[in-house]
Amino acid sequence: MLDIALAFALCIVWGFALVRAWLGLAALRELPSGLPLPEKPPLVSVVVAAKEEQDHIEETIRRLLRQTYPRLEIIAVNDRSNDATGAKIDDIKRWVDALRSEHPRLTAVHITQLPKGWLGKNHALYQGSLQARGTYLLFTDADVRFDEDAIRDAVAYAIAQKADHVTLLPKMEARGFWLRGFVQYVLFSICLWLPPWLGNDDRQKKTGMGVGAFNLIRRETYERIGTHRALSMRPDDDLRLGMLVKQAGCRQRVALGAKRIAVEWYPSLRAAILGLEKNLYSGFSFRLPLAGAGAGLQLLCCALPLTALLWARGPAFGLYAAAAALFAAVYALHARRLALDRGLTAAALPVSVYLFVWVMIRSIALAHIRKGVYWRGTFYKLDELREWFR
């Protein structure tokens, strides 16, 4: 009887999640194209933070230089890189300076030391913002591939919507079936915790969304929320920026941007596992009970419906099968809508679920064993990080 009751409860949970996702995802819109700009469009300052990005920084800057938006400046921040990132930024700057009449202004910022009380990327973005002159600031990463109209259409959309902050959900590219399935499952789990469509609900004052690949924000709004100084030790700075915008009573818009910007989050499954080990725990504010509850819910709600089919019998088997089908449908709906994927990676769900839980547990264990985490080459004590999540 307990098995039947649990399986029935899981059917209710995923049935509700399916309806919610169907309605919520339908409300998300593609970033519109061709909206009019003012006669004199506002200046936009693009701030790119790069650390050990020698393989990507040149292409990213060149794509930004080819943007069709008419008033643009680019600030490329080399954050203590030990490779050729800084040299490549300087090379592109010399080329741009020679052809300034044909290209947006490019400023190079080189950071050699990290002050106490800062995470590297947050400090780099803040230093870039100090060089910016624009009415809008666009915070982005060094490995983002921009469509040439991405900034133009985002600014036009922000003006049309009277939005203080616009963030785009990018296309997350991954090589190979298993990596693609795992990455999409991680993103799916984030969306279950923080549905992106709630960012567009002006009545929701506490639920905001920000994406590191594309955070376009009005300068006065950025200053109102305290700039990156208010996020100086937050590993989830991009997401938290969006939350602060909503909490300040400002207007936010989240749009589908998979046709405008693309990011390869991790080049391999191994890299994804190692990368998430350092930041998954931060998603639970470095709180062990909260992280334990998160892992438990993953096992109960996501893993159990799939694996119970191996031992369940009778009515319980039918209910678990229904719960598993509903779970897979919710996942496939997210994958199709947010990632331009047909949802076929739902076949990787059993592996993705258990791998995600394993990475969560490993992330927690390593943080406690080391009594801190390594972030962009710098070690931060766990107690110090926790202070910023109070």
Side-chain angles (χ1 to χ4, degrees):
M1 288 298 293
L2 181 61
D3 243 10
I4 293 175
L6 183 55
F8 181 74
L10 288 171
C11 286
I12 298 297
V13 167
W14 287 115
F16 172 79
L18 181 60
V19 174
R20 185 187 191 214
W22 183 275
L23 297 175
L25 290 169
L28 280 176
R29 295 286 181 261
E30 294 275 355
L31 178 68
S33 61
L35 291 176
L37 286 170
E39 184 176 343
K40 185 179 180 181
L43 177 65
V44 174
S45 301
V46 183
V47 181
V48 186
K51 181 173 174 60
E52 270 85 59
E53 291 286 359
Q54 64 179 12
D55 295 333
H56 302 108
I57 187 62
E58 184 174 353
E59 181 185 0
T60 297
I61 293 178
R62 289 188 182 278
R63 284 178 178 269
L64 287 170
L65 291 171
R66 292 196 293 267
Q67 290 294 298
T68 58
Y69 188 74
R71 298 194 66 211
L72 196 68
E73 68 172 6
I74 303 164
I75 298 131
V77 186
N78 170 31
D79 178 23
R80 302 165 293 137
S81 297
N82 294 315
D83 61 4
T85 298
K88 291 199 171 189
I89 291 174
D90 288 337
D91 287 345
I92 300 172
K93 177 171 169 51
R94 283 191 287 270
W95 177 73
V96 169
D97 287 346
L99 301 169
R100 177 161 291 182
S101 61
E102 300 178 25
H103 294 282
R105 176 174 178 261
L106 174 62
T107 299
V109 178
H110 296 279
I111 295 173
T112 57
Q113 293 185 336
L114 180 64
K116 184 176 176 57
W118 282 93
L119 294 181
K121 179 186 174 184
N122 303 1
H123 178 252
L125 292 175
Y126 176 64
Q127 291 301 313
S129 75
L130 296 179
Q131 302 294 321
R133 302 174 300 148
T135 302
Y136 285 89
L137 306 177
L138 172 58
F139 295 110
T140 188
D141 296 327
D143 55 354
V144 179
R145 293 194 297 279
F146 289 82
D147 174 79
E148 63 180 11
D149 293 323
I151 295 176
R152 184 230 174 269
D153 289 338
V155 174
Y157 181 60
I159 294 171
Q161 291 288 314
K162 297 181 172 59
D164 300 289
H165 173 239
V166 170
T167 194
L168 299 184
L169 303 176
K171 180 179 181 181
M172 302 299 296
E173 297 183 338
R175 307 173 195 173
F177 175 76
W178 294 109
L179 175 61
R180 187 164 63 251
F182 180 62
V183 167
Q184 289 187 8
Y185 183 75
V186 174
L187 298 175
F188 165 70
S189 296
I190 294 172
C191 289
L192 287 180
W193 168 60
L194 187 64
W197 55 84
L198 293 182
N200 293 331
D201 187 345
D202 296 331
R203 299 166 298 178
Q204 293 276 352
K205 300 301 182 184
K206 294 186 178 180
T207 306
M209 167 68 74
V211 179
F214 201 101
N215 268 325
L216 178 70
I217 186 169
R218 289 180 60 86
R219 174 188 288 276
E220 61 185 42
T221 305
Y222 178 63
E223 293 173 351
R224 180 176 175 180
I225 65 174
T227 72
H228 273 85
R229 287 177 297 181
L231 308 166
S232 63
M233 289 289 288
R234 299 283 307 215
D236 57 345
D237 64 290
D238 51 353
L239 177 61
R240 183 65 180 170
L241 184 145
M243 291 182 175
L244 290 181
V245 167
K246 292 295 289 291
Q247 290 171 10
C250 300
R251 190 175 176 87
Q252 179 180 95
R253 287 295 176 263
V254 181
L256 300 175
K259 296 180 180 178
R260 306 306 179 84
I261 57 173
V263 180
E264 184 181 48
W265 200 14
Y266 293 107
S268 67
L269 187 58
R270 174 179 170 77
I273 292 171
L274 293 176
L276 289 169
E277 279 177 353
K278 66 179 174 56
N279 57 23
L280 266 183
Y281 198 15
S282 69
F284 300 97
S285 305
F286 296 105
R287 302 294 173 187
L288 186 56
L290 191 60
L297 284 173
Q298 280 283 334
L299 289 171
L300 176 64
C301 295
C302 303
L304 181 59
L306 300 172
T307 54
L309 300 179
L310 299 175
W311 69 76
R313 298 291 183 269
F317 179 87
L319 288 170
Y320 276 124
L326 288 168
F327 168 42
V330 176
Y331 170 86
L333 188 61
H334 279 80
R336 189 178 184 88
R337 184 65 172 153
L338 299 181
L340 298 181
D341 183 272
R342 289 178 294 174
L344 298 180
T345 50
L349 272 179
V351 173
S352 298
V353 172
Y354 279 107
L355 183 57
F356 185 54
V357 173
W358 180 75
V359 174
M360 287 174 64
I361 294 172
R362 183 172 168 82
S363 175
I364 296 166
L366 287 175
H368 283 275
I369 291 170
R370 296 167 177 167
K371 300 187 184 305
V373 297
Y374 285 95
W375 205 277
R376 292 167 73 96
T378 303
F379 181 76
Y380 300 92
K381 293 181 179 180
L382 204 53
D383 291 341
E384 185 181 14
L385 290 167
R386 281 174 174 159
E387 288 297 319
W388 283 89
F389 286 84
R390 292 188 183 277

